[in-house]
Amino acid sequence: KTSDSDDLLALLHGELVALLDDGAKTRTLASTPGEPNVWMFVGVNGVGKTTTIAKVAQRETEIGRQVVLAAADTFRAAAAEQLGHWAERVGADMVRGQEGADPGSVVFDAMSAATSRGADLVLVDTAGRLHTKVNLMNELEKLRRIVERTPGALKEVLLVLDATTGQNGLAQAREFADAVDVTGVVLTKLDGTAKGGIVLAIESELGIPVKLVGIGESAADLLPFDPHEFVAAL
Ligand code: GDP
C-alpha cells in the first residue's frame, strides 16, 4: 500500500488498533446498582493482584460506592495482612478467615456482609499458588461456584498479568481462561520498560479484553485501557 516509512507506521498503527478495537468489546467493569456485585481477581503470585484490588477499591469508594474486600487467599497469612493494610488506607471493609480456612467460607461471609451492609461491591482476592496447578484451578473454580449460588452476582473475573513477563503472560492467560471464565485482563507494571505487547496476542488469540492497566505501586496508579494510547506507546 505504501513505500513511505511514515505511512507504513501509520498503517501498522491502524491495523493494531483495529485488532484491539473490533467494536464489540466492553472494557468497563460490569455492575448493577442496588445489589452486591462480585469481582474476582485471579493470577499467579507477584503479578500485582492485591495492589490492583486496592487501586480498584480506592477508585470505587471515591465515586461513593461501598466496597467489601474478601481475603480469600487463606493459604498465606501475609496476603490477608497486606490486603488489610490497603483496606484501612482506602476505607473499605474486609472479611478474612484464619490461615488455612476454607476460602469459600470467606467469600460466602463477605457476600453476606455486603448484603447486610447494603454494599455495592465485593472484591475477591484469590490464591496465586497452591501445591499444584490443578489444585489452584480447582480451588478457583470452587470459589466461582460459591459466588454463583447468588444468581447474577458474579460480574467480573479479572486476570491480573504482569507486563514484564512477556510470552509467559499468554501461557498464564490460557490456563486461567480454561479454568474460570475470565472476563477481562488487568495489565500491571506498565510504568516500567515493558510495553505489554503480549496484550495483542491475548486479545486476538483468546478474545479477552484488557480492561485496566497498572502504572505504579500506589492506589491511584490505575488507568482504563485505551487501545489508541496503548498502540501509540508500543
Ligand atoms: P500479588 O502477589 O499478585 O497480590 O502481588 P502484589 O499486589 O503483592 O504486588 C507484587 C509487587 O508488584 C509489589 O511490590 C507491588 O507494589 C508491585 N506492583 C503491583 N502493581 C504494580 C504496577 O502497576 N507497577 C509497579 N511498578 N509495581 C506494581
Side-chain angles (χ1 to χ4, degrees):
K1 285 182 190 170
T2 179
S3 55
D4 178 273
S5 62
D6 285 344
D7 287 350
L8 183 62
L9 264 186
L11 272 174
L12 187 56
H13 182 114
E15 289 290 325
L16 293 181
V17 169
L19 191 142
L20 293 171
D21 219 354
D22 61 4
K25 286 182 189 136
T26 310
R27 297 187 190 274
T28 49
L29 304 189
S31 63
T32 309
E35 62 182 60
N37 299 276
V38 180
W39 295 347
M40 265 175 77
F41 292 77
V42 301
V44 303
N45 284 346
V47 289
K49 265 191 317 293
T50 310
T51 313
T52 299
I53 290 171
K55 293 172 180 178
V56 171
Q58 163 142 318
R59 190 185 75 168
E60 298 297 325
T61 47
E62 270 171 9
I63 58 167
R65 287 174 150 179
Q66 201 182 333
V67 177
V68 175
L69 306 183
D73 180 1
T74 55
F75 304 96
R76 290 186 308 151
E81 269 156 38
Q82 192 193 349
L83 196 66
H85 291 308
W86 280 117
E88 262 175 45
R89 242 184 282 173
V90 303
D93 292 332
M94 183 177 86
V95 174
R96 65 180 289 184
Q98 300 283 342
E99 188 174 356
D102 175 19
S105 70
V106 174
V107 170
F108 184 83
D109 290 349
M111 289 176 70
S112 308
T115 304
S116 63
R117 291 169 204 171
D120 307 282
L121 277 176
V122 180
L123 308 182
V124 181
D125 195 9
T126 62
R129 185 165 192 281
L130 292 184
H131 307 299
T132 69
K133 226 173 258 175
V134 175
N135 281 353
L136 175 62
M137 297 306 169
N138 286 344
E139 187 61 52
L140 295 176
E141 171 61 19
K142 211 166 82 190
L143 279 187
R144 195 176 64 86
R145 282 201 306 272
I146 287 167
V147 176
E148 286 182 335
R149 279 190 209 156
T150 308
L154 185 63
K155 297 294 197 311
E156 297 282 351
V157 179
L158 297 167
L159 172 64
V160 183
L161 292 178
D162 175 340
T164 63
T165 59
Q167 285 294 326
N168 191 30
L170 185 60
Q172 287 171 25
R174 279 199 203 104
E175 277 167 23
F176 280 94
D178 276 349
V180 278
D181 289 330
V182 175
T183 59
V185 164
V186 183
L187 191 66
T188 60
K189 311 189 193 181
L190 263 186
D191 48 308
T193 49
K195 297 276 186 277
I198 197 66
V199 160
L200 294 160
I202 290 168
E203 292 228 347
S204 56
E205 189 183 314
L206 303 175
I208 304 172
V210 178
K211 297 193 168 177
L212 298 167
V213 297
I215 48 154
E217 296 183 86
S218 78
D221 295 330
L222 185 75
L223 290 175
F225 178 75
D226 179 327
H228 292 269
E229 272 180 34
F230 175 77
V231 172
L234 190 66

